[in-house]
Amino acid sequence: MTVADNRPIGLFDSGVGGLTVLNAARQALPGENLIYLGDTARVPYGTKSPLSITRYAEQALKALLRYDIKALVVACNTASAVALDALQSSYPELQIIGVIEPGAQAAVNMTRSGKIGVIATESTVNNQAYQKAILSLLPDANVKSAACSLFVALAEEGWHDGELVEAIVKRSLSGLFDHYRGGAEYPDTLVLGCTHFPALKLAISRVVGDKVSLVDSAVTTAAVMKKQLTERGLLNPGSTGYVRFLVTDGPERFARVAPLFYSEAVEPDQVELIDIQHFA
Ligand code: DGL
């Protein structure tokens, strides 16, 4: 007989973006208890140095370990790109899942031409984590990336659509698309390599055209969570898991902005303010 493991799963992001992953996890694993940590005091991560991002990720993990988590999801591409290896080697006994590999796998499954664009934060692009992950699955792929750090602020402000947003999207994507328009090099797949970016999906799709498939790694990450928890006997089947929210700043703002990324209601009193900066 399989024994249900009702310890929670921890998820973290720099802010609200990782709620897109939380959404997908709720759908795929309704019985799991989920604790989401948004490091809202230090968002954005995407323009910070690898040293700072790794320290922030380690502090988030240590904070979540206090809740006796059975697994950790790094629901942030920037932290996955920069710090996943360090976290996995410091905590080999903990199941730690990042969003880059599931996103790369989804892109490879989707592309027909092998021409893949990746948009992400500056740190994720500099780290080339998506290139490496995609090329290891599809060595002939042609992968081009662009940093779109402004999108994080647009997404958090709730500016998801409209003329101004499209103009910013167009300018940010020009290096990836304009030059190749009508040619064989034009990507057929675009990876939204930041958990904030799915909020701008409509504007992005208008700019690149409906022949380009957009990859959002949230759903594939949730599928990987389910597979790995099942393989390790860590699953909590059923349909009544709870969700808790922890933030490092501004619980009211978090509750206000959350519905832009998350399909369930979040009341301010469900969001707990914690300090994680003291973790060495
Ligand atoms: N949502 C995060 C990501 O997936 C980072 C955004 C930021 O803090 O810069 O990369």
Side-chain angles (χ1 to χ4, degrees):
M1 197 184 84
T2 347
V3 183
D5 187 336
N6 64 5
R7 286 175 301 156
I9 299 170
L11 300 95
F12 84 90
D13 178 51
S14 59
V16 286
L19 290 173
T20 54
V21 180
L22 184 73
N23 247 340
R26 287 285 280 168
Q27 300 288 324
L29 299 158
E32 295 298 338
N33 297 317
L34 304 170
I35 302 184
Y36 181 90
L37 166 60
D39 191 7
T40 43
R42 299 187 288 197
V43 66
Y45 279 8
T47 48
K48 306 280 182 347
S49 68
L51 197 68
S52 294
I53 297 163
T54 306
R55 182 161 50 89
Y56 298 168
E58 280 167 355
Q59 289 174 328
L61 188 156
K62 285 178 184 160
L64 286 164
L65 281 178
R66 295 197 152 181
Y67 297 84
D68 190 28
I69 54 170
K70 62 182 175 185
L72 175 79
V73 179
V74 182
C76 170
N77 289 264
T78 308
S80 297
V82 174
L84 187 68
D85 291 347
L87 298 181
Q88 286 173 333
S89 53
S90 302
Y91 297 88
E93 72 293 348
L94 184 68
Q95 182 72 25
I96 305 180
I97 299 166
V99 286
I100 304 268
E101 278 184 21
Q105 184 66 62
V108 166
N109 293 347
M110 212 165 256
T111 186
R112 297 161 307 278
S113 67
K115 312 280 185 298
I116 300 172
V118 177
I119 52 172
T121 64
E122 199 179 315
S123 299
T124 305
V125 168
N126 289 344
N127 176 283
Q128 300 201 329
Y130 269 104
Q131 266 95 333
K132 290 177 208 150
I134 292 170
L135 291 173
S136 76
L137 297 165
L138 187 66
D140 290 340
N142 174 343
V143 188
K144 295 190 174 68
S145 354
C148 298
S149 302
L150 253 188
F151 291 7
V152 175
L154 291 176
E156 294 238 353
E157 279 305 312
W159 288 28
H160 296 172
D161 206 3
E163 231 172 87
L164 195 55
V165 175
E166 267 183 50
I168 296 171
V169 170
K170 193 165 174 9
R171 166 101 185 251
S172 309
L173 298 187
S174 64
L176 278 189
F177 288 92
D178 281 2
H179 187 63
Y180 307 102
R181 214 167 276 278
E185 291 285 289
Y186 199 76
D188 73 346
T189 301
L190 179 65
V191 179
L192 307 180
C194 170
T195 52
H196 281 73
F197 294 1
L200 306 180
K201 227 173 189 168
L202 211 63
I204 295 171
S205 184
R206 281 215 190 92
V207 169
V208 299
D210 55 11
K211 291 203 172 56
V212 178
S213 312
L214 302 186
V215 173
D216 162 0
S217 57
V219 174
T220 8
T221 301
V224 169
M225 286 169 71
K226 189 169 183 174
K227 182 168 177 284
Q228 296 198 5
L229 291 171
T230 310
E231 282 167 5
R232 295 192 169 210
L234 295 175
L235 213 56
N236 193 29
S239 58
T240 54
Y242 66 74
V243 181
R244 279 182 72 173
F245 298 96
L246 310 171
V247 292
T248 54
D249 195 27
E252 301 80 15
R253 183 177 195 279
F254 181 89
R256 198 174 64 243
V257 178
L260 301 170
F261 299 82
Y262 185 58
S263 53
E264 294 174 41
V266 178
E267 300 301 331
D269 60 6
Q270 276 179 275
V271 187
E272 190 186 330
L273 182 64
I274 60 163
D275 179 11
I276 67 173
Q277 300 194 29
H278 61 277
F279 287 110

